[in-house]
Amino acid sequence: MNRRKLLIVWVHYPAVGHLVEAFEAAANYYSANKNLEIHVLVNSKVPHYIGNYCSMIHKMYAVDVKNNLKESDLGTLSKMTFEYVVFPKSYKITPSDFTSDILESNNFLINYFKPTIWLGYSGIKDSNKNALNEIDYSPFKLIVPENKIDFKIKKNKGPIFALILKGSSNLSVWPSFNSWKLTCKAIKIKYPHAHFLITGISKAHLSVNENVIHKKIKIDKFINSIPGAINCYDIGLDNQLGIIKDADILLSPHTGFAFLGPCLGTPWLALSGGEWGEQMHAQKSFYNVLPSCKKYPCNRGNRKLECNLRIKYNFPIKCMSKLSSKIPDLLIGVEKLLNENYSFSDAFNDYQNSAIRNNVNLKRLWRIAAYKQHITDTKGL
């Protein structure tokens, strides 16, 4: 018997975080509809092939985002028929958040794909009797084939931390090398056998007129100065996924790439700050070291004047320059995440308590209320 097909169209900004959102949507629909054959279409500028590491996804597709998208750009998808097609709710609710080329691409795609049963939006309940159900916060896991990993790390008796120092943005919204050194030192004092797998790509650290070779030398020097650190820079995406998978904790500020940690079964200890709050994927425990800032997360022009000046003069924003004061909270997070009994719900409770303690506006951390409502709605089911 042929299974009914669902196409998830998630042609979003070219950020890994949005790719992970597509995986989450696939997991949520699959959990509620086990017989679905799920296909996913994303922006060609994200590493879409890793969707093949999700068992609930039948096939991944990618399309170039442009203003004049055509049928011929869809490849084999143009020959397929789907019973169901879904788009992100942001495309329906806040289309103004999209750039013109992304918006026009989605406009073409929603007019092109004509499902035989239902077209809808992930995250928006639909009264249509043919609408697909979702089970929010469904667990899922990326399984990286062993033959894709050739950067092997020997397991030691101490905890292993995978560290992502910064994301791809050139803005000074990331911790300094000195802040990272103090953080690793504090962890090493409490966990003498700890190891740090420090990963990233050298070119992400480049400033204007800076040579990548010179920058790599600086990164190497920094990593070599950290006791217990292993240099995992520029090792390729699959190897990065491999070391994160093998780590006990992923320690990172808010980057799209860090969203992959929970998808690999590794809890994320997030150094929160800047414009965006973290999303919690794959029903994996997490811990957020929150800034003491009423404006956090400071998106949509809400950033402090002081932080705008810091960015202008290439200094870390305030919440990323005060990490030494957050080390006690970070160590609490480490202890909790090393406890196998620390649950997803426990993490949300601590997230809320930390927000209150740090005078963070809970309305801006709307995912806390959304999860609490989910628990209320599903109690007893």
Side-chain angles (χ1 to χ4, degrees), residues 106-145:
N106 278 281
N107 289 342
F108 169 82
L109 293 167
I110 202 167
N111 286 308
Y112 181 83
F113 291 112
K114 302 296 183 184
T116 60
I117 297 179
W118 175 74
L119 186 146
Y121 301 88
S122 176
I124 297 180
K125 294 190 182 299
D126 193 328
S127 59
N128 186 323
K129 66 178 182 179
N130 294 317
L132 287 175
N133 291 323
E134 297 178 81
I135 298 178
D136 294 335
Y137 306 99
S138 291
F140 66 94
K141 192 171 183 180
L142 294 173
I143 306 296
V144 185

Side-chain angles (χ1 to χ4, degrees), residues 153-373:
I153 299 296
K154 184 179 178 182
K155 178 68 176 176
N156 294 285
K157 64 178 181 179
I160 297 176
F161 296 81
L163 270 61
I164 302 173
L165 304 182
K166 73 181 296 293
S168 59
S169 170
N170 289 324
L171 296 177
S172 51
V173 294
W174 316 108
S176 66
F177 278 176
N178 186 57
S179 291
W180 277 114
K181 188 173 289 191
L182 292 173
T183 299
C184 292
K185 181 180 179 181
I187 293 173
K188 195 73 172 172
I189 289 172
K190 185 167 184 180
Y191 302 94
H193 299 291
H195 284 77
F196 307 102
L197 311 181
I198 304 180
T199 191
I201 53 175
S202 298
K203 66 180 182 180
H205 292 264
L206 289 179
S207 302
V208 177
N209 299 323
E210 196 169 18
N211 183 287
V212 68
I213 296 176
H214 292 159
K215 177 56 73 174
K216 185 169 175 54
I217 291 171
K218 291 180 182 178
I219 294 169
D220 292 347
K221 183 179 179 181
F222 163 72
I223 294 175
N224 290 337
S225 73
I226 305 293
I230 299 172
N231 192 332
C232 304
Y233 257 72
D234 304 312
I235 59 174
L237 178 56
D238 283 333
N239 283 319
Q240 286 182 301
L241 298 180
I243 65 166
I244 293 172
K245 171 183 69 71
D246 290 339
D248 297 298
I249 292 174
L250 171 63
L251 176 58
S252 169
H254 181 112
T255 77
F257 189 76
F259 288 16
L260 289 168
C263 308
L264 294 159
T266 301
W268 181 10
L269 177 51
L271 302 175
S272 300
E275 292 185 287
W276 306 104
E278 285 72 45
Q279 289 179 261
M280 293 72 189
H281 297 289
Q283 208 179 114
K284 190 65 185 176
S285 58
F286 60 90
Y287 192 89
N288 295 69
V289 179
L290 292 173
S292 300
C293 179
K294 292 181 180 179
K295 285 184 172 288
Y296 169 77
C298 54
N299 52 56
R300 305 185 188 281
N302 197 45
R303 190 188 291 134
K304 287 181 176 179
L305 176 61
E306 176 186 349
C307 291
N308 284 327
L309 290 171
R310 283 174 169 272
I311 288 174
K312 181 178 179 180
Y313 294 106
N314 204 33
F315 289 103
I317 55 177
K318 191 172 181 181
C319 54
M320 289 293 114
S321 65
K322 298 287 186 180
L323 286 181
S324 59
S325 66
K326 293 294 180 179
I327 285 177
D329 189 26
L330 183 146
L331 293 175
I332 291 173
V334 170
E335 183 176 0
K336 287 178 179 289
L337 293 179
L338 290 176
N339 180 355
E340 293 182 356
N341 294 320
Y342 187 65
S343 70
F344 195 60
S345 291
D346 293 335
F348 263 105
N349 289 334
D350 283 336
Y351 192 21
Q352 177 173 286
N353 292 336
S354 179
I356 295 169
R357 190 169 61 249
N358 285 286
N359 295 314
V360 174
N361 186 343
L362 280 171
K363 290 182 179 179
R364 299 185 69 80
L365 297 182
W366 54 268
R367 293 182 180 90
I368 296 174
Y371 180 73
K372 298 289 185 180
Q373 188 62 52

